[in-house]
Amino acid sequence: MQDNRVTPEAEPAENAKPEGSVADAVSGNWVDRWAPAWMRPYLRLSRADRPIGTWLLLIPCWWGLALAILYDQSPRWSDLWLVVACALGAFLMRGAGCTWNDITDRDIDGAVERTRSRPIPSGQVSVRGALVWMCLQALLAFLILLTFNAAAIRMGVLALLPVAIYPFAKRFTWWPQVFLGLAFNWGALMIWVAHTGSLAAPAMVLYLAGIAWTLFYDTIYAHQDTEDDALIGVKSTARLFAEKSPQWLRRFLMATVGLMGIAVIYAALPQASVLALVLALAGPWAMGWHMAWQLRGFDASDAGKCLQLFRANRDTGMIPLVFFVASLLA
């Protein structure tokens, strides 16, 4: 009998990844399809071909703005600019942060199967070129930051500290995901201040909820690399928790929902209506169910499943935002 099975070598050319594409990039992403060839390595360096990180940086900003408006019951036309500025800033700062991460991790990335195709270890971009690209993105983000009030500008500059430390955290702590959480959720504080002019308890509790959420999704993500990480001595919560990861993920789920619920109560009690409070509280409740769905499907030994669940967290974060916006309209 003739064997009609299609081998990887015989796959149609259109199904092959474009030259220089990163291993875990989204299939058919806009960078590989439409970006000019000379720009692709730099956009890949910024993870523009993997947009989930931008969403995970952006969503806490929008949480902070929604709860700030719920808190003071004072929506302004300038808040529309904050919505847009958050999106632009998240794209640029995520790109700058990922570029910095790849510069510092270039030797580690070259030793890990999933990351050795990244632009620096694969030779697509030089370290010097990456530094210039990082500074350009950071400068554009800073220009956007200058449109905020003075207190928010100071908060934005302070955010550089956890961003700078994060790439080194896996070298000295088993909890590098905490440092990622500190960096990725800073926008909740900054945008709260951009709207209200000062920090308040709801923003701080929301920040802690975001950190717990980051520990949840990034522990799942880190399970893709546990074998390589063990060989090269890189630390992570995935390696620390090992077979106990489901129990720890459940704890992070409960912390996320509980802390976000407290943040909502603190934000709504001063002036919001009972209906607005109920709608806003439905947000963390629904988010918790989505996280529970992820937990049911979690398999630490299945790298593909871990990546799929990690990417699902865009929807996880958008769920409470929908309820927060609904509460503002109540």
Side-chain angles (χ1 to χ4, degrees):
M1 290 181 64
Q2 183 178 3
D3 189 352
N4 292 320
R5 290 176 296 177
V6 178
T7 64
E9 292 77 16
E11 287 182 355
E14 60 268 21
N15 291 336
K17 283 196 171 187
E19 183 180 357
S21 182
V22 179
D24 58 355
V26 177
S27 179
N29 67 81
W30 71 274
V31 173
D32 290 344
R33 294 179 64 186
W34 297 311
W38 66 271
M39 274 292 294
R40 288 174 188 168
Y42 294 95
L43 291 171
R44 289 166 182 154
L45 195 59
S46 299
R47 311 284 200 275
D49 54 347
R50 286 154 285 168
I52 179 60
T54 298
W55 283 108
L56 297 176
L57 186 61
L58 170 60
I59 287 169
C61 299
W62 283 349
W63 288 350
L65 179 59
L67 288 192
I69 297 172
L70 184 67
Y71 178 73
D72 67 7
Q73 294 291 297
S74 298
R76 310 178 185 96
W77 285 110
S78 60
D79 292 332
L80 295 177
W81 165 243
L82 292 181
V83 171
V84 175
C86 285
L88 295 174
F91 179 80
L92 290 166
M93 282 309 299
R94 190 259 183 147
C98 287
T99 304
W100 171 243
N101 185 81
D102 282 11
I103 291 170
T104 60
D105 281 358
R106 58 190 183 274
D107 294 330
I108 292 175
D109 286 346
V112 175
E113 179 65 29
R114 184 180 59 84
T115 58
R116 64 182 50 163
S117 58
R118 287 179 177 176
I120 295 178
S122 65
Q124 297 179 57
V125 177
S126 67
V127 173
R128 182 178 179 179
L131 284 168
V132 173
W133 179 240
M134 178 188 71
C135 292
L136 176 61
Q137 294 172 97
L139 177 60
L140 292 174
F142 182 66
L143 293 177
I144 294 172
L145 180 64
L146 290 178
T147 65
F148 294 174
N149 59 42
I153 292 173
R154 290 192 291 271
M155 290 289 297
V157 172
L158 191 59
L160 294 176
L161 183 60
V163 171
I165 294 174
Y166 167 66
F168 302 100
K170 56 183 166 288
R171 294 165 169 85
F172 63 81
T173 178
W174 287 100
W175 294 82
Q177 281 70 25
V178 171
F179 288 86
L180 182 67
L182 291 171
F184 259 56
N185 295 280
W186 195 268
L189 301 177
M190 184 178 68
I191 298 305
W192 179 286
V193 172
H195 174 82
T196 66
S198 62
L199 277 177
M204 296 299 298
V205 179
L206 182 65
Y207 182 54
L208 295 176
I211 293 172
W213 178 44
T214 302
L215 281 162
F216 179 88
Y217 65 66
D218 206 58
T219 296
I220 293 175
Y221 182 81
H223 269 285
Q224 297 176 88
D225 301 324
T226 50
E227 292 184 5
D228 285 334
D229 287 349
L231 288 173
I232 59 180
V234 169
K235 299 178 175 67
S236 72
T237 50
R239 285 190 61 206
L240 176 65
F241 303 152
E243 70 279 358
K244 295 182 180 179
S245 286
Q247 294 95 304
W248 278 96
L249 291 174
R250 190 171 295 108
R251 292 166 187 164
F252 296 144
L253 185 164
M254 292 186 293
T256 302
V257 173
L259 288 166
M260 186 177 289
I262 293 170
V264 167
I265 292 170
Y266 276 160
L269 281 183
Q271 301 185 64
S273 67
V274 173
L275 176 58
L277 172 60
V278 171
L279 284 172
L281 280 174
W285 176 82
M287 181 182 185
W289 279 107
H290 197 270
M291 294 172 73
W293 165 78
Q294 292 184 58
L295 189 55
R296 285 195 298 273
F298 173 69
D299 181 356
S301 64
D302 187 341
K305 186 65 173 180
C306 289
L307 181 59
Q308 178 189 3
L309 293 176
F310 169 73
R311 287 175 174 167
N313 278 276
R314 180 200 64 178
D315 297 341
T316 309
M318 290 298 289
I319 288 170
L321 182 65
V322 170
F323 285 95
F324 293 168
V325 173
S327 73
L328 297 178
L329 301 176

